[in-house]
Amino acid sequence: MSIPEALIADMIQWRHTLHACPEMAFEEVSTAQLVASVLRAHGITVQEGVGRTGVVGSLSRGTGPSIGLRADMDALPLVEKNQFAHKSQHEGKMHACGHDGHTAMLLGAAVALSQRSDWQGTVHFIFQPAEEAAGGGRVMVEDGLFERFPCDAVFGMHNWPGLPLGRFAINHGPMMASFDTFEIQIQGAGGHAAMPEKSIDSLVCASHLVVALQTIVSRRLPPQETAVVSVTQIHGGEAWNVLPDSTVIRGTVRCFSIATQRRIHALLTELSEGTARTHGATASVSYHYAYPATINSAAETDMAIVAATATVGAGQVQRDCSPSMASEDFAFMLNNKPGAYIWLGVDQDSSVPLHNPHYDFNDEALALGAAYWVALVNSRMGPGAR
Ligand SMILES: [Zn+2]
Ligand SMILES: [Zn+2]
């Protein structure tokens, strides 16, 4: 199931081209053009503009099952600190999450599959925009992704610093947490800092609330339930001698089920309103359910394990790994279709974390990722398919 050398060279070239020209959420115009032109050059049917800047390539061999393989295309708002030839040419934008590699690997798999006839069915190559924060996966689903390109199952992959090159990791069930955001407006009454008795101090109230919010996970949820409540911003006050009228608290919540998301939302509202009342203030809470949790389905996880094993051998496939508390908008696709999301090891001499200004996708992983995609199609639609 190895990928031809010439195709590996092409993947490296596509990856470097994409890395040098990073495009952020729903701005992936030249990225989408590169994707569409490579797909078309290999006789793959292309639909552009799916979920705004998304692209779907479709390849059929007779009748049979239909699966979706998904890669994300967007970059991050980050100043790159690397100095190699393919570094970002767009100041303040960077492929620091490896989506350049994901796009190149799926293109490589599409080309490899277009040159093989040992499978039967339909593969939809889904190149999605705006994974990082804008929910491009949701936008594609809302744009009729699975009605226009019917899939029995859908599969995703992300490179994973911390996992050695040549290894895959996957879990039956949760892989990534949900992602919600909240904003709490504490309304007090502003006044002179020297006369607090004539004010309602929104800053003191907000300070109590930040501490109280930590009791949601530590005291109110069952200890077996994994969740994170993080306050990430407090804004209030501008002068040395003025108690501000109001203070805003913002933060994020991560967990693994919609029931826990709803429970945390309710507790956060209860604590905000109760703490504000205790201080004579009022609180208004806005809570945004951003991304659901990424949960693999059992049969498709088994299929992914078969494909990863065919690519790197059973000893290199880590099963039932611990899920990450980070989030992934592939979850919107898994909410609609059975499927599985897998991590691809990339560490060799060093490990630079995702979203770091020194990160660069490891080109040595391109052939492994593309081979996994081909093996996955083979495991579902090849001669030995179950
Ligand atoms: Zn990212
Ligand atoms: Zn990413």
Side-chain angles (χ1 to χ4, degrees):
M1 208 71 69
S2 65
I3 301 294
E5 285 299 325
L7 184 49
I8 295 174
D10 285 345
M11 283 194 285
I12 292 172
Q13 196 204 321
W14 297 328
R15 215 275 296 170
H16 289 192
T17 300
L18 294 169
H19 191 92
C21 298
E23 296 175 303
M24 283 165 41
F26 298 120
E27 296 172 352
E28 304 92 337
V29 175
S30 66
T31 306
Q33 277 170 359
L34 185 149
V35 166
S37 72
V38 171
L39 294 173
R40 282 203 180 97
H42 291 85
I44 296 168
T45 307
V46 173
Q47 184 68 55
E48 290 167 274
V50 183
R52 295 169 66 181
T53 41
V55 180
V56 180
S58 302
L59 184 62
S60 288
R61 294 257 184 278
T63 54
S66 174
I67 65 170
L69 310 180
R70 170 276 203 174
D72 39 17
M73 304 191 289
D74 57 319
L76 284 158
L78 206 66
V79 177
E80 178 157 12
K81 292 193 176 163
N82 293 312
Q83 292 303 332
F84 41 60
H86 61 276
K87 76 168 187 176
S88 171
Q89 300 301 305
H90 296 172
E91 178 72 10
K93 299 178 185 178
M94 179 186 172
H95 269 297
C97 205
H99 299 185
D100 48 347
H102 301 167
T103 301
M105 290 189 294
L106 189 55
L107 277 178
V111 172
L113 286 164
S114 76
Q115 295 167 347
R116 301 172 70 112
S117 52
D118 57 350
W119 58 280
Q120 274 229 312
T122 298
V123 183
H124 297 297
F125 304 98
I126 302 167
F127 293 88
Q128 80 145 78
E131 190 283 325
E132 290 291 355
R138 173 180 51 76
V139 174
M140 281 191 106
V141 170
E142 288 171 356
D143 199 19
L145 176 67
F146 294 124
E147 290 78 37
R148 295 160 72 185
F149 310 96
C151 296
D152 303 327
V154 65
F155 295 87
M157 172 163 46
H158 207 293
N159 78 95
W160 206 248
L163 195 64
L165 180 71
R167 278 185 81 88
F168 285 88
I170 192 165
N171 188 25
H172 286 85
M175 280 297 283
M176 309 283 282
S178 58
F179 163 43
D180 298 335
T181 57
F182 61 85
E183 178 178 296
I184 305 163
Q185 173 102 19
I186 306 287
Q187 186 62 49
H192 201 299
M195 302 168 212
E197 78 281 9
K198 294 182 177 168
S199 302
I200 296 173
D201 190 344
S202 61
L203 275 173
V204 167
C205 176
S207 305
H208 277 265
L209 181 54
V210 169
V211 176
L213 292 176
Q214 294 311 307
T215 64
I216 293 176
V217 173
S218 66
R219 302 288 87 179
R220 305 294 295 274
L221 295 180
Q224 298 84 352
E225 194 70 51
T226 306
V228 176
V229 176
S230 287
V231 170
T232 55
Q233 303 178 39
I234 305 179
H235 300 285
E238 289 174 54
W240 294 95
N241 57 354
V242 176
L243 296 175
D245 208 40
S246 64
T247 297
V248 171
I249 297 171
R250 299 194 183 104
T252 182
V253 171
R254 312 294 172 115
C255 60
F256 288 107
S257 73
I258 184 67
T260 305
Q261 284 173 273
R262 291 196 179 116
R263 176 83 177 126
I264 292 174
H265 178 186
L267 290 168
L268 194 132
T269 304
E270 181 187 308
L271 279 167
S272 300
E273 291 174 354
T275 305
R277 201 176 309 117
T278 303
H279 291 84
T282 57
S284 65
V285 176
S286 79
Y287 190 97
H288 176 53
Y289 293 79
Y291 289 9
T294 303
I295 313 284
N296 287 343
S297 53
E300 285 68 26
T301 304
D302 288 340
M303 201 179 305
I305 289 171
V306 168
T309 301
T311 308
V312 291
Q316 292 287 79
V317 183
Q318 188 182 333
R319 302 163 194 214
D320 300 318
C321 61
S322 295
S324 166
M325 296 312 292
S327 310
E328 165 59 76
D329 82 346
F330 182 62
F332 288 106
M333 298 187 189
L334 286 184
N335 259 8
N336 283 266
K337 295 287 170 187
Y341 179 83
I342 197 166
W343 289 330
L344 167 71
V346 285
D347 285 359
Q348 223 165 347
D349 302 326
S350 63
S351 180
V352 180
L354 299 172
H355 295 204
N356 181 287
H358 293 287
Y359 172 88
D360 187 41
F361 185 92
N362 184 356
D363 285 329
E364 299 291 324
L366 290 169
L368 291 172
Y372 165 77
W373 286 135
V374 173
L376 194 58
V377 170
N378 225 265
S379 78
R380 179 86 167 199
M381 306 173 172
R386 293 166 299 161

mmCIF file of all heavy atoms in Angstrom, residues 23 51 116 135 138 179 192 255 265 316 344 355:
data_model
loop_
_atom_site.group_PDB
_atom_site.id
_atom_site.type_symbol
_atom_site.label_atom_id
_atom_site.label_comp_id
_atom_site.label_asym_id
_atom_site.label_seq_id
_atom_site.Cartn_x
_atom_site.Cartn_y
_atom_site.Cartn_z
ATOM 1 N N GLU A 23 -4.037 30.688 4.295
ATOM 2 C CA GLU A 23 -5.284 31.458 4.204
ATOM 3 C C GLU A 23 -6.178 31.065 5.374
ATOM 4 O O GLU A 23 -6.304 29.888 5.698
ATOM 5 C CB GLU A 23 -5.992 31.169 2.879
ATOM 6 C CG GLU A 23 -5.178 31.621 1.674
ATOM 7 C CD GLU A 23 -5.812 31.229 0.354
ATOM 8 O OE1 GLU A 23 -6.061 30.020 0.141
ATOM 9 O OE2 GLU A 23 -6.044 32.117 -0.478
ATOM 10 N N GLY A 51 -20.043 24.892 1.373
ATOM 11 C CA GLY A 51 -19.708 25.524 2.652
ATOM 12 C C GLY A 51 -18.755 26.695 2.397
ATOM 13 O O GLY A 51 -17.695 26.774 2.996
ATOM 14 N N ARG A 116 -5.729 3.606 -9.279
ATOM 15 C CA ARG A 116 -5.903 2.190 -8.899
ATOM 16 C C ARG A 116 -7.306 1.727 -9.276
ATOM 17 O O ARG A 116 -8.251 2.514 -9.295
ATOM 18 C CB ARG A 116 -5.728 2.011 -7.384
ATOM 19 C CG ARG A 116 -4.373 2.459 -6.880
ATOM 20 C CD ARG A 116 -4.353 2.443 -5.370
ATOM 21 N NE ARG A 116 -4.373 1.092 -4.866
ATOM 22 C CZ ARG A 116 -3.338 0.520 -4.231
ATOM 23 N NH1 ARG A 116 -2.239 1.192 -4.016
ATOM 24 N NH2 ARG A 116 -3.430 -0.713 -3.800
ATOM 25 N N GLY A 135 -16.092 27.046 12.507
ATOM 26 C CA GLY A 135 -17.062 25.967 12.277
ATOM 27 C C GLY A 135 -17.320 25.642 10.816
ATOM 28 O O GLY A 135 -18.463 25.426 10.417
ATOM 29 N N ARG A 138 -19.413 22.563 10.271
ATOM 30 C CA ARG A 138 -20.857 22.790 10.436
ATOM 31 C C ARG A 138 -21.432 23.453 9.188
ATOM 32 O O ARG A 138 -22.501 23.059 8.687
ATOM 33 C CB ARG A 138 -21.106 23.681 11.660
ATOM 34 C CG ARG A 138 -22.559 24.113 11.829
ATOM 35 C CD ARG A 138 -22.758 25.004 13.058
ATOM 36 N NE ARG A 138 -21.832 26.126 13.136
ATOM 37 C CZ ARG A 138 -21.912 27.234 12.417
ATOM 38 N NH1 ARG A 138 -22.906 27.379 11.551
ATOM 39 N NH2 ARG A 138 -21.013 28.194 12.544
ATOM 40 N N PHE A 179 -16.588 22.176 22.663
ATOM 41 C CA PHE A 179 -16.006 23.517 22.825
ATOM 42 C C PHE A 179 -17.150 24.510 22.918
ATOM 43 O O PHE A 179 -17.898 24.692 21.968
ATOM 44 C CB PHE A 179 -15.099 23.809 21.616
ATOM 45 C CG PHE A 179 -14.742 25.250 21.409
ATOM 46 C CD1 PHE A 179 -14.392 26.071 22.465
ATOM 47 C CD2 PHE A 179 -14.739 25.794 20.132
ATOM 48 C CE1 PHE A 179 -14.052 27.397 22.259
ATOM 49 C CE2 PHE A 179 -14.396 27.114 19.915
ATOM 50 C CZ PHE A 179 -14.049 27.917 20.981
ATOM 51 N N HIS A 192 -16.904 56.476 43.189
ATOM 52 C CA HIS A 192 -15.566 56.863 43.648
ATOM 53 C C HIS A 192 -14.922 55.707 44.410
ATOM 54 O O HIS A 192 -15.550 55.127 45.306
ATOM 55 C CB HIS A 192 -15.690 58.091 44.547
ATOM 56 C CG HIS A 192 -14.405 58.854 44.671
ATOM 57 N ND1 HIS A 192 -13.253 58.320 45.196
ATOM 58 C CD2 HIS A 192 -14.095 60.132 44.309
ATOM 59 C CE1 HIS A 192 -12.286 59.222 45.175
ATOM 60 N NE2 HIS A 192 -12.772 60.347 44.627
ATOM 61 N N CYS A 255 -15.986 19.434 27.484
ATOM 62 C CA CYS A 255 -16.431 18.172 28.095
ATOM 63 C C CYS A 255 -16.772 17.179 26.984
ATOM 64 O O CYS A 255 -16.433 17.433 25.823
ATOM 65 C CB CYS A 255 -17.603 18.417 29.042
ATOM 66 S SG CYS A 255 -19.050 19.129 28.244
ATOM 67 N N HIS A 265 -23.786 24.660 31.651
ATOM 68 C CA HIS A 265 -24.471 25.906 31.292
ATOM 69 C C HIS A 265 -25.412 26.334 32.432
ATOM 70 O O HIS A 265 -25.410 27.493 32.869
ATOM 71 C CB HIS A 265 -25.242 25.677 29.983
ATOM 72 C CG HIS A 265 -26.022 26.860 29.516
ATOM 73 N ND1 HIS A 265 -26.871 26.810 28.444
ATOM 74 C CD2 HIS A 265 -26.107 28.143 29.972
ATOM 75 C CE1 HIS A 265 -27.424 27.985 28.252
ATOM 76 N NE2 HIS A 265 -26.993 28.816 29.177
ATOM 77 N N GLN A 316 2.343 -0.484 15.989
ATOM 78 C CA GLN A 316 2.463 0.975 15.891
ATOM 79 C C GLN A 316 1.099 1.670 15.956
ATOM 80 O O GLN A 316 1.018 2.878 15.715
ATOM 81 C CB GLN A 316 3.160 1.356 14.572
ATOM 82 C CG GLN A 316 4.629 0.951 14.531
ATOM 83 C CD GLN A 316 5.465 1.850 15.445
ATOM 84 O OE1 GLN A 316 5.485 1.673 16.661
ATOM 85 N NE2 GLN A 316 6.134 2.817 14.871
ATOM 86 N N LEU A 344 -2.248 11.043 13.712
ATOM 87 C CA LEU A 344 -1.075 10.599 12.962
ATOM 88 C C LEU A 344 0.170 11.141 13.661
ATOM 89 O O LEU A 344 0.309 12.359 13.824
ATOM 90 C CB LEU A 344 -1.179 11.155 11.527
ATOM 91 C CG LEU A 344 0.052 11.105 10.631
ATOM 92 C CD1 LEU A 344 0.360 9.666 10.217
ATOM 93 C CD2 LEU A 344 -0.167 11.969 9.382
ATOM 94 N N HIS A 355 0.022 25.007 16.919
ATOM 95 C CA HIS A 355 -0.270 26.428 17.181
ATOM 96 C C HIS A 355 0.966 27.171 17.717
ATOM 97 O O HIS A 355 0.825 28.265 18.258
ATOM 98 C CB HIS A 355 -1.460 26.614 18.136
ATOM 99 C CG HIS A 355 -2.759 26.133 17.564
ATOM 100 N ND1 HIS A 355 -3.993 26.601 17.969
ATOM 101 C CD2 HIS A 355 -3.025 25.226 16.595
ATOM 102 C CE1 HIS A 355 -4.953 25.984 17.297
ATOM 103 N NE2 HIS A 355 -4.386 25.147 16.455
#
